[in-house]
């Protein structure tokens, strides 16, 4: 009994710094944003300490029509952001799954080499890498010059400052975050079950769907969550590669805090993003777990 109590005290002492850190730097800002979203905007930024639900009314349609006006553009931008986030997850999954499977079957030296290549982008600045994409995607950029030289196209493609450029940039940024959880799940795959499935007469497709996919589902879910959350709220990639056509809800929040100085409305948009992302993730993770359990 004394030993258990002593272990509990040790665990509590070890967890205290982490708990304090999360409480001060995660929960406290979140609480401030939640409170600000229900307060009246100040004239020059900040908030007035009066209850003010029109911030949400401006988004959902119960604006007073005087100080706050409902416009569909906010909901459209939110839906566009969710669509870009889902597309980024899907493309990253399609790209990373076969590569992670292939890398996990290599010998140790080659595995370490390819894992280093996947982690290599973390050693350079994201802004620099995104500006490099400007040189690739612009009308006189590397991509168009190569396609013109190969006579695949007759005129330069207008890719830059379009939704396609935003998705390309997001996939490029998020690929390592999808690859690493997938690789960890596939590397721990129980090969005895795979061989047993093949020995019992299942073909490759059946083995993949009934044995491999359920075992790697935690990696798929983990990668999808890690990619989807920052993709929906991302504002750097749309700002550099998307222009006005690729505006996402993260850019809208940035504008409200920095340009419009409407902290209350920016907080309402932030709370809306977090709520929608949380609901979507709970639904997806719940269904994925159910599907994995049934399989």
């Amino acid at each position: 009994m004394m030993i258990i109590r002593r272990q509990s005290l040790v665990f509590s002492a070890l967890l205290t710094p982490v708990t304090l850190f999360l409480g001060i730097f995660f929960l406290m800002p979140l609480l401030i944003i939640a409170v600000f979203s229900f307060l009246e905007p100040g004239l020059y930024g900040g908030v007035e300490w009066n209850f003010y639900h029109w911030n949400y009314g401006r988004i959902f349609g119960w604006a007073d029509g005087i100080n706050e006006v409902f416009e569909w553009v906010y909901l459209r931008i939110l839906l566009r952001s969710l669509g870009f986030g889902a597309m980024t997850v899907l493309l990253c999954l399609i790209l990373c799954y076969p590569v992670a499977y292939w890398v996990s079957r290599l010998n140790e030296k080659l595995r370490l080499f390819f894992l280093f290549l996947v982690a290599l982008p973390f050693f350079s600045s994201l802004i620099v890498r995104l500006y490099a994409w400007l040189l690739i995607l612009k009308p006189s950029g590397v991509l168009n010059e190569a396609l013109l030289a190969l006579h695949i196209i007759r005129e330069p493609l207008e890719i830059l400052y379009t939704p396609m450029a935003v998705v390309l940039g997001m996939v490029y940024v998020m690929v390592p975050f999808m690859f690493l959880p997938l690789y960890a799940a596939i590397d721990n795959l129980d090969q005895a079950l795979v061989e047993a499935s093949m020995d019992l007469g299942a073909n490759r497709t059946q083995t993949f769907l009934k044995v491999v996919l359920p075992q790697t589902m935690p990696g798929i879910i983990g990668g999808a969550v890690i990619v989807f959350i920052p993709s929906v709220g991302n504002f750097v990639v749309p700002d550099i590669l998307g222009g006005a056509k690729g505006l996402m809800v993260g850019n809208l929040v940035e504008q409200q805090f920095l340009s419009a100085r409407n902290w209350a409305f920016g907080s309402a948009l932030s709370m809306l993003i977090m709520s929608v992302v949380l609901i979507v993730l709970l639904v997806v993770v719940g269904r994925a777990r159910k599907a994995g359990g049934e399989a």
Side-chain angles (χ1 to χ4, degrees), residues 109-121:
K109 286 185 178 179
L110 284 175
R111 276 208 309 264
L112 292 175
F113 174 70
F114 280 104
L115 288 176
F116 170 74
L117 290 182
V118 171
L120 195 59

Side-chain angles (χ1 to χ4, degrees), residues 30-228:
L30 191 62
L31 181 63
I32 292 173
I33 290 174
V35 172
F36 274 26
S37 69
F38 287 101
L39 295 179
E40 186 177 346
L43 288 177
Y44 304 105
V47 292
E48 301 290 340
W49 289 89
N50 303 315
F51 178 71
Y52 194 78
H53 58 83
W54 305 116
N55 296 316
Y56 289 97
R58 185 174 170 182
I59 305 170
F60 292 112
W62 67 78
D64 59 0
I66 301 172
N67 297 313
E68 307 293 346
V69 179
F70 168 67
E71 293 179 1
W72 281 102
V73 66
Y74 301 120
L75 288 178
R76 279 205 301 269
I77 291 174
L78 176 64
L79 293 175
R80 181 195 298 162
S81 303
L82 293 172
F84 282 179
M87 197 175 297
T88 303
V89 170
L90 181 63
L91 291 176
C92 286
L93 183 61
I94 292 172
L95 286 172
C96 292
Y97 199 99
V99 178
Y101 197 96
W102 175 68
V103 171
S104 69
R105 296 296 170 262
L106 298 174
N107 60 51
E108 187 176 356
K109 286 185 178 179
L110 284 175
R111 276 208 309 264
L112 292 175
F113 174 70
F114 280 104
L115 288 176
F116 170 74
L117 290 182
V118 171
L120 195 59
F122 295 122
F123 292 90
S124 60
S125 167
L126 173 62
I127 303 297
V128 173
R129 286 185 281 134
L130 288 178
Y131 273 105
W133 273 94
L134 285 177
L135 302 177
I136 296 173
L137 298 179
K138 68 179 184 178
S140 60
V142 176
L143 179 62
N144 276 313
E145 291 293 334
L147 293 176
L148 287 170
L150 294 171
H151 302 289
I152 296 176
I153 58 174
R154 294 182 178 179
E155 295 181 357
L157 300 174
E158 296 291 340
I159 301 175
L160 194 60
Y161 304 129
T162 64
M164 183 188 295
V166 176
V167 174
L168 279 174
M170 299 263 263
V171 170
Y172 165 73
V173 172
M174 295 298 168
V175 154
F177 298 100
M178 175 64 82
F179 180 88
L180 294 175
L182 282 177
Y183 171 79
I186 294 172
D187 194 44
N188 291 322
L189 192 63
D190 190 345
Q191 287 297 325
L193 293 177
V194 178
E195 292 172 5
S197 173
M198 300 292 285
D199 291 342
L200 291 172
N203 57 36
R204 291 181 181 276
T205 304
Q206 290 171 328
T207 301
F208 175 75
L209 293 177
K210 298 292 185 182
V211 179
V212 177
L213 193 59
Q215 287 193 71
T216 55
M217 190 56 72
I220 295 174
I221 295 173
V225 170
I226 294 172
V227 170
F228 184 73

